[in-house]
Amino acid sequence: MKKRTPVQLPEEIYPDDPWVLLEDQFAPDFLYLTETIFALTNGRIGVRGSLDEGDPHHIIGTYINGFHETWPITHAESAYGLAEVGQTMVTIPDGTLIEVTVDGEPFHLPSVEIIRCRRWLDIQRGILERDIAWKSQSGVTVEMRFLRFVSLGRPDLIVSRLELSVDMPAEVTVVSRLRNRLDEVADAGDESDPRLAKQFSQRVLEPRAATLEDFRFVQAWVTSRSGMGLLSGMDHGLSGPTPRVTLDRSAMNFGFEFSWSLTPDAGVTIDKYVVASDNGDSPGLAERQAIGATLDEAKERGVAGLAADQARHLARFWADNDIVIEGADVETQRAVRWTLLQLHSNSACLRHASIPAKGLTGHAYDGHYFWDTEIYIVPFLIYTNPAAARTVLTHRYEMLEHARERARVLSHDGILFPWRTINGEEASAYFLAGTAQYHINADIVYAIRKYVEVTGDQEFLWEMGAEIVLETAKFWLDLGFYRSDHFHIHGVTGPDEYTALVDDNAYTNAMARMNLRYAFEVVSHLSNEDPDRWDDLRAKVGIADGQAIEWRLAADAMYIPHDRDLGITPQDDDFLEKEAWDFENTPESKYPLLLHFHPLTIYRFQVLKQADVVLADFLLGEEFNPELKRANFDFYDPLTTGDSSLSACIQAIMSAELGYESAAMRHFQHALYMDLGDIAGNTTDGVHMASAGGVWMALIYGFAGMRDVRGTISFDPRMPKQWTSMTFRLGVRGGALSVTLSHESITLVSGQPIEVIVRGDSHTVEPGGGTVVHL
């Protein structure tokens, strides 16, 4: 097993405050980190935490969820059915830039004389602030205060402010820019790391009509290949002396240049409102008018009013969804809250979209949607923002025709969802660790089942969910086959991408069994609930007489590997025949293995990129007995590299369930600090969103011991000894269940009657007062 490096947090950006990430001095060596951890988003639009003046920088980016360019995938040796068109989320024109010059000297770190330089993320309010004092070569002391946030209530809006003053007369110039950085430099980039995004060597954004009015500029764009339309614009509000105004305009760059002859008694404030929206394939007058209306509304509300709205929005979120851990150190509590902010802000304003692997904090993995969202993030959304969970699952439904076509191309019945995608088409060029991960079908069904059972949203099941469930059941029945009274599934890849194209992957088979059984239940339930409506759905999906019975029989006959000698579930039919990886002689510099060893080398050994069987033990825990779970964990944990950020959280949950307290805390810490501590060495590419969701799961499913099998809430707490209590809330079927856990008891408060099981005993939590269960 790879040795996990102890978490070391840079003191420069982590003060003693559970609500603030503070950079108390300019730290250029940490730009790669702060651009990610200071990133701001609302799930619709996102901006990395780059400096207001733009330079120095590591990776600057502003993104719209789903806005992408396409490109031809070139295969050295092509074959039928391989993905042909790649999709990459691209950075849109940057409207965050505010450049300052005093007496002809540009403010540029680190070349100016710095007196004070602090930047901090207010986690409680979702606002990034910056306080700077510097002295110009002309002797002027300049005070600057920046503020930036992405509105959580207005999906297309980014807000910023600069307050500037001087201690003696000075000539001051502020340039506010909208800059198309994407097409400034043609760069093929370094594509040796498959996790990074495609770099374009040709122009992506083609400019279209632009409008200029007072201090407002709006530009239309269209992507060269995908034909997606974009509108981006900015407007300004100024207070203080009247400026001299000139325009700085080029094909890639538009700027308003404001100049003043300032005195110490008259500072200036520049409020900047930036909007961006993708609008079909040809933004026209109506779309520009809509952008104008957004800017009008923002200016009327003002920065102070918008910031107050932001604070109120997050106050409601924290009141309902904060996780308060008594006895934990400040670093842990702050990291938990930062993680919760990432999960909420990357899902707050979703529309016709899912959550990319890096959210909108970076464009690694090309901004694609994976199975990660359904398995690691949707559980958080179900209990905190079920409307967002519904949006994510609805977006899968919107991909249904693409999924049908993909199944047809691969000669399957039913549907097959793409392994990685933005627009619904398969974009994975490496089919062994991509398309072959057929388990994504069952992963989506697992999320649908959990959503319906916990929220009670039967209408979603009727309108969209059932069609996905039934079509995927058709797929599994077609993919598998019977041999010796068992139903087998061959030629697939499970979650562990260090083992590919295997027969009877245990995770895939177990999840497919769940999918088939749930499909049978859905048929039984819907046909009894509303026979006429069921007949319509049955005709639409094409369900033959007796087909549901075939699903149940296949599920009952599903082959799940088992080794009697070791008493474990083999990951697949051949896994135990392989030689174990030589961890002892693999230096730290050789991780992740995927960047240092050929896939065929890795495939020959017993070595895991991430939890596979152990993940099945958690997701389908009711189907594995405690002894088998323990044997599986003890066997696979030492073989797991953790090269995937998806692993540590699952290992933490299962460690907690099995009573391995120190291992549970060790794995939890590595999931918790995956980005804040740059555990994987690639925080610069964006937040690991699935790991963030896994942190919530580790707290709720791991340390609180919550399970929600078939919608029934139960607790078997495993809270760390060093913590004294943990308090959180869960949204269940339209109500709220408040939970306070200590080592002696668990206190449950609900606004409506709910049955909760605590360590095997059922308790009815009635409205008013609280139910205290002693442990």
Side-chain angles (χ1 to χ4, degrees):
M1 179 181 182
K2 173 186 173 184
K3 295 181 180 178
R4 294 199 185 276
T5 304
V7 175
Q8 294 182 345
L9 303 180
E11 295 180 358
E12 293 90 339
I13 52 178
Y14 296 118
D16 192 24
D17 189 319
W19 287 105
V20 173
L21 289 182
L22 170 68
E23 182 183 38
D24 64 1
Q25 58 182 295
F26 177 56
D29 292 342
F30 291 109
L31 278 174
Y32 76 93
L33 181 63
T34 55
E35 285 179 356
T36 290
I37 67 173
F38 286 162
L40 302 166
T41 178
N42 59 20
R44 170 66 177 163
I45 189 171
V47 57
R48 284 176 61 81
S50 52
L51 302 178
D52 303 273
E53 60 274 18
D55 293 313
H57 70 270
H58 188 67
I59 301 173
I60 289 181
T62 304
Y63 312 101
I64 290 179
N65 196 345
F67 185 76
H68 67 278
E69 179 62 306
T70 56
W71 44 278
I73 296 175
T74 301
H75 300 278
E77 298 183 19
S78 190
Y80 176 79
L82 297 183
E84 298 177 346
V85 180
Q87 310 146 33
T88 297
M89 181 175 73
V90 294
T91 182
I92 65 173
D94 181 9
T96 64
L97 293 170
I98 301 177
E99 303 164 359
V100 176
T101 300
V102 176
D103 290 336
E105 180 185 0
F107 172 73
H108 187 279
L109 295 172
S111 59
V112 299
E113 181 182 343
I114 301 172
I115 300 171
R116 181 181 68 254
C117 186
R118 302 167 71 246
R119 187 164 61 139
W120 63 95
L121 174 63
D122 185 332
I123 298 171
Q124 197 164 20
R125 298 188 302 140
I127 294 176
L128 181 64
E129 299 184 72
R130 194 174 176 211
D131 178 35
I132 299 169
W134 61 286
K135 180 167 286 190
S136 71
Q137 293 177 359
S138 59
V140 180
T141 297
V142 187
E143 296 275 350
M144 301 192 305
R145 181 74 175 259
F146 291 91
L147 172 150
R148 181 194 297 171
F149 60 93
V150 174
S151 174
L152 292 168
R154 293 166 174 82
D156 302 324
L157 182 65
I158 303 170
V159 181
S160 58
R161 165 177 279 182
L162 166 62
E163 298 173 280
L164 185 149
S165 63
V166 295
D167 71 340
M168 57 188 296
E171 294 300 312
V172 175
T173 299
V174 174
V175 182
S176 174
R177 298 191 185 278
L178 183 67
R179 181 176 174 184
N180 176 16
R181 291 179 176 272
L182 178 63
D183 291 315
E184 285 182 339
V185 180
D187 180 13
D190 176 12
E191 299 186 3
S192 61
D193 187 341
R195 300 169 297 181
L196 301 183
K198 165 78 174 179
Q199 301 296 314
F200 292 94
S201 58
Q202 297 179 338
R203 189 182 184 97
V204 173
L205 294 177
E206 298 287 350
R208 293 292 186 262
T211 58
L212 173 64
E213 182 181 358
D214 297 328
F215 300 151
R216 176 180 298 182
F217 175 75
V218 177
Q219 174 77 62
W221 310 83
V222 175
T223 55
S224 298
R225 290 184 60 92
S226 64
M228 297 190 72
L230 169 71
L231 282 170
S232 57
M234 60 179 174
D235 203 348
H236 302 80
L238 280 70
S239 62
T242 302
R244 303 179 297 276
V245 183
T246 58
L247 302 181
D248 181 359
R249 186 171 190 173
S250 69
M252 302 296 175
N253 193 343
F254 186 93
F256 289 100
E257 184 176 294
F258 305 108
S259 300
W260 299 266
S261 299
L262 287 188
T263 58
D265 59 347
V268 295
T269 299
I270 301 99
D271 292 338
K272 185 172 185 179
Y273 309 92
V274 177
V275 293
S277 178
D278 56 333
N279 290 275
D281 57 3
S282 181
L285 177 61
E287 287 79 13
R288 289 197 296 274
Q289 288 175 337
I291 286 289
T294 300
L295 288 170
D296 288 340
E297 180 186 348
K299 285 189 69 175
E300 182 177 355
R301 184 69 178 139
V303 171
L306 293 168
D309 294 343
Q310 185 89 340
R312 279 191 292 270
H313 176 105
L314 280 172
R316 292 191 296 271
F317 171 76
W318 294 119
D320 291 340
N321 302 299
D322 191 13
I323 299 177
V324 180
I325 306 171
E326 299 293 342
D329 54 34
V330 171
E331 291 81 5
T332 297
Q333 182 66 79
R334 178 180 53 236
V336 166
R337 285 173 172 154
W338 179 85
T339 301
L340 293 174
L341 178 64
Q342 300 310 308
L343 290 167
H344 177 64
S345 61
N346 276 281
S347 60
C349 297
L350 290 177
R351 59 188 188 201
H352 301 292
S354 186
I355 300 172
K358 298 293 185 179
L360 298 183
T361 68
H363 62 291
Y365 292 106
D366 292 296
H368 288 170
Y369 313 133
F370 292 81
W371 71 300
D372 310 11
T373 305
E374 280 80 10
I375 293 298
Y376 291 83
I377 302 176
V378 165
F380 164 82
L381 296 177
I382 288 172
Y383 286 103
T384 63
N385 186 357
R390 197 183 209 268
T391 298
V392 169
L393 298 175
T394 297
H395 189 55
R396 287 295 188 183
Y397 182 78
E398 292 167 345
M399 296 180 182
L400 212 53
E401 290 309 312
H402 288 302
R404 285 194 177 96
E405 175 61 16
R406 188 61 178 160
R408 187 197 65 78
V409 169
L410 271 71
S411 305
H412 299 311
D413 196 5
I415 60 175
L416 176 59
F417 284 102
W419 177 243
R420 56 187 299 173
T421 190
I422 296 176
N423 62 13
E425 297 179 357
E426 178 63 83
S428 174
Y430 188 58
F431 71 90
L432 285 83
T435 300
Q437 295 202 51
Y438 286 167
H439 63 82
I440 189 171
N441 269 8
D443 300 328
I444 292 168
V445 169
Y446 181 90
I448 290 171
R449 186 182 75 165
K450 185 184 290 287
Y451 170 77
V452 171
E453 291 175 346
V454 174
T455 66
D457 188 355
Q458 291 295 313
E459 193 58 28
F460 171 80
L461 187 62
W462 274 109
E463 292 178 352
M464 290 172 276
E467 190 170 349
I468 294 175
V469 172
L470 303 179
E471 291 280 21
T472 50
K474 290 165 61 177
F475 168 85
W476 291 118
L477 190 66
D478 176 67
L479 179 66
F481 64 95
Y482 284 95
R483 177 181 293 164
S484 302
D485 297 327
H486 287 294
F487 191 78
H488 298 267
I489 298 174
H490 284 187
V492 302
T493 300
D496 169 32
E497 295 174 359
Y498 285 173
T499 309
L501 283 186
V502 300
D503 296 340
D504 289 320
N505 169 256
Y507 175 91
T508 301
N509 285 18
M511 292 292 281
R513 180 173 63 184
M514 174 278 305
N515 193 158
L516 290 162
R517 285 176 174 167
Y518 186 51
F520 177 80
E521 293 173 13
V522 166
V523 170
S524 300
H525 170 65
L526 297 187
S527 60
N528 288 323
E529 182 178 273
D530 190 334
D532 291 337
R533 194 175 182 184
W534 163 248
D535 285 342
D536 292 339
L537 179 59
R538 174 184 173 180
K540 179 181 180 182
V541 180
I543 303 300
D545 291 339
Q547 194 165 21
I549 297 296
E550 292 184 55
W551 298 338
R552 189 188 67 182
L553 293 174
D556 291 344
M558 185 68 70
Y559 176 72
I560 307 295
H562 182 75
D563 185 89
R564 292 184 179 181
D565 293 335
L566 295 175
I568 67 167
T569 304
Q571 187 166 298
D572 57 70
D573 263 1
D574 297 324
F575 188 83
L576 298 183
E577 302 302 317
K578 298 177 179 179
E579 180 183 357
W581 185 270
D582 186 359
F583 287 97
E584 187 173 344
N585 292 308
T586 304
E588 188 77 18
S589 61
K590 292 296 185 180
Y591 293 96
L593 300 182
L594 64 94
L595 297 184
H596 301 281
F597 297 91
H598 192 282
L600 289 177
T601 300
I602 299 173
Y603 295 163
R604 293 188 185 104
F605 290 88
Q606 289 182 6
V607 58
L608 280 67
K609 184 182 179 186
Q610 64 204 71
D612 193 298
V613 170
V614 172
L615 177 60
D617 285 343
F618 163 57
L619 296 179
L620 303 172
E622 70 277 15
E623 298 182 13
F624 297 84
N625 65 56
E627 294 76 17
L628 181 57
K629 290 182 188 179
R630 184 178 300 276
N632 285 340
F633 187 88
D634 291 346
F635 180 82
Y636 288 108
D637 200 55
L639 298 175
T640 306
T641 62
D643 283 354
S644 168
S645 63
L646 307 183
S647 197
C649 55
I650 301 303
Q651 291 168 282
I653 293 169
M654 291 308 299
S655 295
E657 177 178 330
L658 297 171
Y660 298 155
E661 184 174 340
S662 62
M665 180 55 74
R666 183 175 70 253
H667 290 309
F668 170 71
Q669 290 278 328
H670 279 78
L672 181 64
Y673 292 109
M674 183 62 63
D675 292 305
L676 292 176
D678 197 19
I679 295 296
N682 61 352
T683 295
T684 184
D685 300 324
V687 173
H688 294 79
M689 288 304 302
S691 181
V695 168
W696 183 87
M697 292 200 301
L699 288 165
I700 305 304
Y701 290 111
F703 295 139
M706 191 267 280
R707 293 293 183 271
D708 47 16
V709 177
R710 310 316 306 265
T712 298
I713 306 300
S714 64
F715 294 95
D716 187 3
R718 294 289 189 271
M719 193 172 66
K721 289 187 175 68
Q722 57 266 48
W723 298 355
T724 56
S725 71
M726 185 166 69
T727 301
F728 57 92
R729 293 181 66 182
L730 303 169
V732 182
R733 287 182 282 281
L737 176 65
S738 298
V739 181
T740 299
L741 175 66
S742 72
H743 292 291
E744 294 77 30
S745 65
I746 181 170
T747 301
L748 306 167
V749 180
S750 177
Q752 60 186 28
I754 182 173
E755 292 292 323
V756 176
I757 297 172
V758 179
R759 289 190 173 166
D761 296 327
S762 181
H763 302 268
T764 301
V765 182
E766 299 287 354
T771 299
V772 179
V773 180
H774 295 283
L775 301 176

